[in-house]
Amino acid sequence: MTTMDDVVAAETVLSRVDGEGGRLVVHGHDLEDLVAGHGFEATAALLWGAVDPGLGDARAVARALGAARVSVFERVPAILAATAGLAPIDVLRAGVAALAADDDRGAVVLATAAMPVLLAATARRDRGLDPVAPDPALGQVADLLGMLGGTPTEPARVQALERYLVTVADHGMNASTFAARVIAATGSDPVSAVTGAIGALKGPLHGGAPGPVLDMLDAVGAPADAGTWIASALDRGQRLMGFGHRIYRTRDPRADVLKAALAELAPRDPARTALAEAVERAARDALATRHPGRRLDTNVEFYTALLLEAVGIERALFTPMFAVGRVIGWTAHVLEQRATGRLIRPKARYVGPVPVGDDFRAAANG
Ligand code: ACO
């Protein structure tokens, strides 16, 4: 089967994923140091500034994001009216698609600011509540939780969510980032690229896994039942959400960063922790036994699910929450692709029928 696994589709200064070593470096910072030393705005400034120095100042980025959240909020009634009945991730896709900015910088900031505003507004709508206006003086993460809950949020929850969002900000040439770069490479605009990236993110093999991780924990029920439940799920040919990765041949380093953030936030729920640990152990053991030649370990989504649950985020918001963080990477890659890249146009190997009497080769590419 033809795959693109070993194809290098771009040169990037943004992040490097070492799948063998289980290491993620984001523009010169090991993930653990990035998360310890950078909040949301500083991470955006780091990645955007790596490509466009005009976006490299964290304070200026914070001000621009605050102002852009206010401007997106003015459009919320129209966006909610046009997206009645859609799932939150689809509201994000449609809402972002409806935005426009004068230039690339403006579009990058606007698309990034739109994520928390749209996520909070759609979550409140689904609870039968009016949207809460953003506070441009707050950081993006505190403002997101404020817009969601309608009240100021404890700093520990803001910090835990911020660690998650920074952890997932960028990750090499993942599927949604590649989708964004393909769109940007045609000369299209950043809003279109982010819209396409959201579509790629929503699939269960990419950003849609954390909700099903909690469904799995609920279905297992008790730590003692983890082994039996996992074995029967695998016997039915089911994939275990939160395990395995296309690139990592060892543990996903993001899982440990999130596990540590979770431990700081939620020592208060030992029963949930015990269940999660039992499921993780049973899943790793069963996958190792069934796939001895292919190391399948915990990925970022397993601890994402537990962390977001502990922060108080409902399951329907898990995938859009991923977009709130990953939009930093998408937009940085879009800027990079537009600055340095060329049209991305791979080939397909034709294996269909050839015209009768024609010598057009089945292997012809194009
Ligand atoms: N549960 C059960 N079996 C699995 C799993 C899993 N989570 N992951 C891989 N396998 C199996 C495959 O079915 C395959 O079996 P086969 O050889 O008998 O056909 C074998 O292990 C090898 O699979 P890979 O080639 O390593 O898997 P691939 O690289 O195609 O898939 C993926 C990677 C999509 C992430 C996969 O591991 C998966 O479906 N995981 C569950 C979904 C998930 O957690 N997604 C989030 C990924 S992280 C992110 O995108 C942010």
Side-chain angles (χ1 to χ4, degrees):
M1 188 180 54
T2 307
T3 73
M4 290 182 67
D5 290 7
D6 295 320
V7 174
V8 174
E11 295 202 339
T12 183
V13 299
L14 297 170
S15 63
R16 172 167 180 224
V17 182
D18 173 2
E20 298 294 333
R23 188 171 172 202
L24 169 61
V25 170
V26 179
H27 196 60
H29 301 265
D30 266 306
L31 175 66
E32 297 73 11
D33 300 335
L34 178 81
V35 171
H38 294 71
F40 186 92
E41 282 78 5
T43 304
L46 176 76
L47 288 177
W48 294 343
V51 187
D52 177 355
L55 285 169
D57 180 77
R59 287 190 186 177
V61 163
R63 279 194 300 276
L65 284 173
R69 288 196 300 276
V70 172
S71 124
V72 172
F73 188 73
E74 287 164 10
R75 312 197 55 169
V76 158
I79 292 170
L80 289 186
T83 56
L86 293 192
I89 187 69
D90 295 324
V91 176
L92 241 64
R93 189 197 60 222
V96 167
L99 301 175
D102 293 337
D103 54 26
D104 280 6
R105 273 187 197 160
V108 160
V109 171
L110 197 63
T112 304
M115 301 295 178
V117 175
L118 297 174
L119 182 150
T122 187
R124 290 181 68 83
R125 173 180 74 182
D126 291 349
R127 295 180 208 146
L129 300 170
D130 288 332
V132 169
D135 177 349
L138 289 178
Q140 177 113 327
V141 185
D143 203 17
L144 164 57
L145 286 171
M147 286 187 282
L148 260 177
T151 51
T153 316
E154 319 158 45
R157 284 176 62 215
V158 176
Q159 180 176 296
L161 183 59
E162 191 144 19
R163 288 193 172 164
Y164 162 69
L165 294 170
V166 170
T167 296
V168 300
D170 196 41
H171 198 245
M173 194 57 75
N174 60 89
S176 54
T177 298
F178 183 51
R181 284 192 84 126
V182 168
I183 294 169
T186 68
S188 181
D189 62 294
V191 165
S192 299
V194 171
T195 305
I198 295 171
L201 182 75
K202 107 177 213 194
L205 299 187
H206 189 8
V213 166
L214 293 189
D215 298 340
M216 174 171 71
L217 294 190
D218 292 347
V220 171
D225 297 327
T228 325
W229 192 95
I230 294 282
S232 109
L234 290 174
D235 288 345
R236 289 193 306 274
Q238 231 172 281
R239 288 206 171 196
L240 303 176
M241 291 295 144
F243 297 90
H245 198 273
R246 179 56 61 82
I247 301 293
Y248 290 117
R249 292 292 177 262
T250 179
R251 201 172 165 80
D252 183 336
R254 299 169 299 174
D256 286 331
V257 168
L258 296 183
K259 189 175 182 179
L262 174 67
E264 275 181 38
L265 179 67
R268 46 183 108 148
D269 195 351
R272 195 67 168 160
T273 307
L275 176 61
E277 285 176 356
V279 169
E280 186 184 14
R281 215 169 21 247
R284 293 175 69 200
D285 288 351
L287 289 169
T289 307
R290 290 172 190 237
H291 297 280
R294 170 74 171 96
R295 180 128 184 237
L296 297 168
D297 212 323
T298 317
N299 68 42
V300 65
E301 303 288 33
F302 189 77
Y303 280 100
T304 291
L306 293 158
L307 182 78
L308 294 183
E309 180 182 57
V311 172
I313 308 296
E314 56 257 43
R315 286 174 209 196
L317 301 180
F318 283 6
T319 308
M321 195 59 89
F322 194 163
V324 174
R326 181 56 57 84
V327 69
I328 295 177
W330 291 337
T331 44
H333 278 271
V334 166
L335 291 171
E336 188 176 54
Q337 184 68 35
R338 281 165 70 79
T340 62
R342 64 196 286 269
L343 181 70
I344 298 172
R345 185 11 179 129
K347 292 175 179 172
R349 175 171 294 114
Y350 179 71
V351 294
V354 294
V356 178
D358 199 317
D359 65 352
F360 192 75
R361 291 287 152 233
N365 291 335

